[in-house]
Amino acid sequence: MTTADQNFLRPWQDVTSIGEFDWTSLANSEGVFVQDTAGNELLDGPGGMWCVNVGYGREEIIEAVARQMRDLSYFSPWSMAAPVTTKLSEKLADLAPGDLNNVFFTTGGSTAVDSALRFAFFYNNCLGRPEKKHIISRVNAYHGSTYLSSSCSGKMREKANMDMIADTIHLLPCPKPKDKPADLSMDAFCDEKVSDLENKILEIGADKVAAFIAEPIMASGGVIVPPDGYHKRCHEVCRKHDVLFIADEVVTAFGRLGHFFASEDVFDVVPDMITTAKGLTSGYVPMGALFISDRLVEEIKSASNEARNFVSGFTYSGHPVAAAAALANIEIIERDRLLENVQQLAPDFEASLQSLNDIPCVTDIRVKGLMAGVECELDEDHPDEMRDVEFLYKVDEICQQNGLLVRPVYNSCVMSPPLTISRSQIDDLVGILRGGIETAYNNL
Ligand SMILES: Cc1ncc(COP(=O)(O)O)c(C=O)c1O
């Protein structure tokens, strides 16, 4: 069942086509499945938008939200406290790595990133170095849709017709192992990508660079897993040059890689700030959270005896209903041992997806935890991205007819199913995906 919305301008939509496109209309959901308005059941490969971590239809979250709405539907975070938000901030500080004990609530991922960057500027102003404002990011990164976070995003084709901050934001080449020259070892490739960061800091001048921002794994960029050791070494470079390291864990936090946070447990890095959203509430209601290290707060304190107001925040910062959803969501992750489930399933998920390697147009398969990108190119020697995008639309259409949502990103099918997925559902997912790619390829 589809709907041609006349009045709903969607994210990324071609504005010349409002009302012309038929969108699959969803009516119900349960577990790892959504159901369209005609009753067709679809396994949710992308997990909503990388966010439905505990799966759909969780009564505990629904009840917690309803209860909180009855008890206290809103409080002003400027002047009041609410037990539910206090409890959530304590729980989050407890779960976060290292000294990331200061939780700044936001409305989603973009506002978490925006707030992190604004905090980096604020921090440097407080320390008396107002010229330290440049930000370094990477090609293929996605950090959000506010002016500042979108300017730090590196998906170049998405910048057309959209104004961006250009003079103080710098994009490094993407650390995508597939793009490594054949005669270069992975270690040498990693050296090169780490040097890109250090060289850029030196070129701009370390006294002018505020922060390096990086997703542990680039999600919307196609699930790009950097070479081993990359993040740890980038973090060392940042420390050496007094540049803040911001980990954008909007996708990777809350279980996607088998841990509450991926930075320390997977990549051995304790960042200066971490941004989160999505899996924090599993998409039941909007909420994001920025984690700021004690070190930064202490440095601001010791720089002066004056008050230092971080003049930033939202009407819905720490919204009690969202906080109730987040607490219930975290309780489910802990009670149902979902992190352990991801750790146990990850090798099967990877092996199963890697089996698609025998399909001629599949040119790269990248998997980590329950995140995967299956890249398809019809002619690797003569790249034509639009042709490959069209091809993946076909794959998506066929998979949907067979009960799987794919929703490709450019030339990659990206998968991030609910963390509750079972082994047999992984087999179903990969089986339908194989059928979709092979059928589309054979029909060319
Ligand atoms: C890594 C990353 N950062 C930030 C964002 C922006 O989050 P939101 O859409 O909640 O504003 C996204 C969204 O996909 C993301 O993947």
Side-chain angles (χ1 to χ4, degrees):
M1 213 28 208
T2 56
T3 301
D5 281 326
Q6 302 290 336
N7 306 98
F8 180 6
L9 175 61
R10 285 142 200 286
W12 270 240
Q13 188 170 0
D14 170 2
V15 297
T16 66
S17 74
I18 299 176
E20 284 174 19
F21 193 84
D22 282 332
W23 305 86
T24 299
S25 195
L26 300 182
N28 295 294
S29 56
E30 185 61 38
V32 299
F33 294 99
V34 290
Q35 214 178 59
D36 69 15
T37 43
N40 297 307
E41 196 163 73
L42 300 158
L43 204 168
D44 189 357
M49 190 71 187
W50 320 85
C51 58
V52 188
N53 287 12
V54 299
Y56 294 95
R58 289 288 195 164
E59 281 303 324
E60 305 92 316
I61 301 182
I62 298 162
E63 282 305 319
V65 162
R67 206 178 316 120
Q68 187 58 50
M69 280 185 175
R70 280 190 208 101
D71 290 349
L72 177 75
S73 56
Y74 180 78
F75 76 100
S76 164
W78 270 262
S79 50
M80 300 286 168
V84 68
T85 305
T86 303
K87 189 172 169 197
L88 176 62
S89 59
E90 288 167 1
K91 179 70 188 173
L92 290 174
D94 218 31
L95 295 174
D99 68 341
L100 287 141
N101 291 317
N102 308 282
V103 184
F104 183 80
F105 289 109
T106 68
T107 53
S110 305
T111 46
V113 168
D114 210 285
S115 302
L117 299 171
R118 294 193 72 204
F119 194 89
F121 300 151
F122 165 76
Y123 161 79
N124 281 319
N125 290 339
C126 291
L127 266 56
R129 40 196 208 185
E131 70 294 343
K132 204 164 161 63
K133 293 290 162 58
H134 288 246
I135 305 289
I136 301 178
S137 178
R138 302 163 310 156
V139 167
N140 282 330
Y142 180 70
H143 296 298
S145 213
T146 61
Y147 190 38
L148 185 51
S149 62
S150 65
S151 299
C152 291
S153 295
K155 295 172 77 184
M156 306 314 280
R157 42 179 117 61
E158 295 176 5
K159 299 203 171 218
N161 299 321
M162 302 299 291
D163 286 6
M164 302 277 162
I165 302 164
D167 52 344
T168 52
I169 294 178
H170 310 262
L171 298 175
L172 303 176
C174 179
K176 183 177 180 182
K178 177 171 181 264
D179 295 343
K180 170 183 86 57
D183 57 352
L184 198 66
S185 71
M186 197 57 89
D187 285 348
F189 179 70
C190 186
D191 292 346
E192 191 182 285
K193 296 301 135 200
V194 176
S195 299
D196 287 344
L197 172 61
E198 184 149 33
N199 292 340
K200 183 55 79 180
I201 293 173
L202 295 174
E203 180 194 317
I204 303 164
D207 57 336
K208 295 198 174 55
V209 182
F212 171 59
I213 181 163
E215 300 158 80
I217 291 180
M218 286 176 180
S220 322
V223 183
I224 294 168
V225 185
D228 285 349
Y230 168 82
H231 286 298
K232 193 169 168 53
R233 291 178 59 196
C234 285
H235 182 242
E236 284 160 10
V237 167
C238 287
R239 269 294 154 97
K240 179 172 157 197
H241 295 287
D242 194 12
V243 167
L244 299 181
F245 185 103
I246 304 171
D248 183 353
E249 291 222 38
V250 164
V251 169
T252 53
F254 301 102
R256 180 71 32 215
L257 301 188
H259 301 274
F260 273 110
F261 294 84
S263 289
E264 188 178 28
D265 288 335
V266 182
F267 298 99
D268 200 15
V269 169
V270 178
D272 297 299
M273 288 189 257
I274 296 182
T275 52
T276 65
K278 300 191 188 268
L280 169 59
T281 55
S282 283
Y284 279 75
V285 285
M287 183 178 234
L290 160 66
F291 295 74
I292 302 165
S293 76
D294 289 341
R295 176 175 79 90
L296 304 189
V297 174
E298 285 308 317
E299 283 182 40
I300 292 171
K301 270 191 206 164
S302 51
S304 139
N305 290 326
E306 287 170 32
R308 296 297 197 190
N309 296 45
F310 180 49
V311 184
S312 184
F314 311 95
T315 301
Y316 301 132
S317 294
H319 195 285
V321 175
L327 276 172
N329 177 61
I330 292 168
E331 253 170 59
I332 292 171
I333 296 176
E334 291 183 328
R335 186 202 61 202
D336 292 359
R337 304 179 68 78
L338 293 185
L339 302 179
E340 291 81 350
N341 194 46
V342 174
Q343 289 164 22
Q344 277 163 16
L345 285 179
D348 289 343
F349 188 58
E350 169 149 26
S352 192
L353 281 157
Q354 289 293 352
S355 72
L356 300 175
N357 236 326
D358 62 345
I359 309 175
C361 62
V362 172
T363 52
D364 199 25
I365 299 172
R366 307 175 284 270
V367 191
K368 191 95 177 161
L370 284 187
M371 263 176 107
V374 177
E375 190 164 312
C376 296
E377 289 168 284
L378 292 179
D379 183 352
E380 228 184 328
D381 298 330
H382 302 93
D384 178 347
E385 196 175 65
M386 278 330 290
R387 178 197 57 207
D388 296 337
V389 168
E390 288 300 320
F391 173 71
L392 282 187
Y393 283 153
K394 282 267 163 261
V395 173
D396 186 25
E397 205 179 300
I398 298 164
C399 287
Q400 189 164 320
Q401 283 158 9
N402 294 323
L404 173 70
L405 278 183
V406 175
R407 298 294 173 263
V409 176
Y410 297 101
N411 63 358
S412 294
C413 303
V414 293
M415 291 289 156
S416 90
L419 313 182
T420 51
I421 194 166
S422 67
R423 271 195 175 74
S424 68
Q425 287 164 339
I426 288 177
D427 291 343
D428 293 345
L429 182 155
V430 177
I432 300 175
L433 185 57
R434 169 179 286 281
I437 300 172
E438 285 180 342
T439 307
Y441 192 63
N442 294 335
N443 288 348
L444 281 173

